[in-house]
Amino acid sequence: MTIHHEGYRTIGIASLLFGLINILSFAFLSSHFSWLSIAIFIITLFLLLFIISFFRVPERTLTIQENAIVCPADGKIVVIEDIIETEYFKDKRTQISIFMSPTNVHINRNPMSGEVVYNQYHKGKYLVAWHPKSSTENERWSVVVSNAYGKILYKQIAGALARRICNYTKPGDKVQQSAEYGFIKFGSRVDVIIPTFMNVKVELNQQVKGGVTVLATWPYNIQ
C-alpha cells in the first residue's frame, strides 16, 4: 500500500499538529494530569492514522474488460434507476450511484477506455451525498467518454464533508479503463450514467471496489 499524492500536504499538516499538540500536552499536563495527556495522545494518534488511511492506495488486480463498465470508486450502490439525463444526453438513461464513506479508498477510476468528449466542472451546493438532488445541485465534475461501444457519463459529486474534487482529464484525452482519473477528499458520491439497454450487474446496497467491480456490460461485442 502507498499514499496518494493528494494527501501529502494534508498528512504533513496533520503530523505537525499531532506533534505540537502532544508536546504541549506532555509539557503542561503530564505532571499533574497524566491520564489527560495519555488520552489526548491516543485521540490525536487515532485521528492522524485515520487521515493517513484516507489517502491509502491499496494494491489490487484491476479489471480490464472492453465490453464492460467498471466501477469508478469504492463504496456502496445507493441508486439504480432510469432517469431523464439533462446535462449532456438529454434523454432517458440508467443511473448507477456509488456512495463513498470517509473510510473508503477515494481514488476515482475510468469506467471504460475511450476518448474524453466532454469535461465540465459545476459549482453547487454541499447536500449530503445520498440526497436525491445531490446529483444535479451539488458541486460536481462531469466527464463523458466515447468508444466503439458508445458513450457514458460519470460524475464526481461533492458532499457535506467533501469540499475538493480533483479531476485529471480534459477533452481529447485518451483514457484507459480502470486507470486513475481523479480523487475526492473526505467522502462523497460518483454517478455513472449509461444507456438503458445495458445489462446491469450490481444490486442496491452492494459493496463495490473501484477498478474491480463490473457495473454493467454492453449487450453486444465489437470485433
Side-chain angles (χ1 to χ4, degrees), residues 125-178:
K125 300 178 182 179
Y126 295 99
L127 302 172
V128 290
W130 57 84
H131 194 287
K133 292 185 178 181
S134 66
S135 181
T136 55
E137 294 188 8
N138 275 23
E139 178 183 6
R140 61 200 180 278
W141 207 314
S142 302
V143 176
V144 175
V145 168
S146 175
N147 64 17
Y149 284 90
K151 295 179 181 180
I152 65 167
L153 182 154
Y154 39 102
K155 305 178 185 180
Q156 297 166 289
I157 301 170
L161 293 178
R163 297 301 178 97
R164 186 181 176 196
I165 300 173
C166 304
N167 188 293
Y168 311 136
T169 63
K170 62 182 184 300
D173 283 355
K174 305 292 185 181
V175 297
Q176 296 299 314
Q177 187 178 56
S178 296

Side-chain angles (χ1 to χ4, degrees), residues 170-194:
K170 62 182 184 300
D173 283 355
K174 305 292 185 181
V175 297
Q176 296 299 314
Q177 187 178 56
S178 296
E180 180 184 347
Y181 86 91
F183 196 96
I184 310 177
K185 291 189 176 182
F186 299 110
S188 195
R189 164 174 164 166
V190 178
D191 288 353
V192 183
I193 314 298
I194 61 176

Side-chain angles (χ1 to χ4, degrees), residues 8-24 48:
Y8 293 166
R9 184 171 182 271
T10 301
I11 292 172
I13 293 172
S15 298
L16 288 174
L17 290 174
F18 169 78
L20 179 61
I21 289 170
N22 283 281
I23 288 172
L24 294 174
L48 176 61

Side-chain angles (χ1 to χ4, degrees), residues 54-107:
F54 178 84
F55 293 100
R56 68 193 184 279
V57 183
E59 293 185 6
R60 59 179 54 166
T61 301
L62 300 174
T63 299
I64 306 298
Q65 185 178 334
E66 65 175 15
N67 73 326
I69 304 301
V70 176
C71 189
D74 285 25
K76 182 172 74 172
I77 302 295
V78 293
V79 173
I80 302 174
E81 65 181 9
D82 289 343
I83 63 166
I84 301 299
E85 197 286 313
T86 59
E87 179 179 353
Y88 183 85
F89 296 111
K90 304 186 188 307
D91 61 12
K92 189 176 181 180
R93 298 274 157 163
T94 298
Q95 174 178 312
I96 303 175
S97 300
I98 304 100
F99 172 70
M100 306 161 65
S101 77
T103 60
N104 287 130
V105 174
H106 277 67
I107 296 171

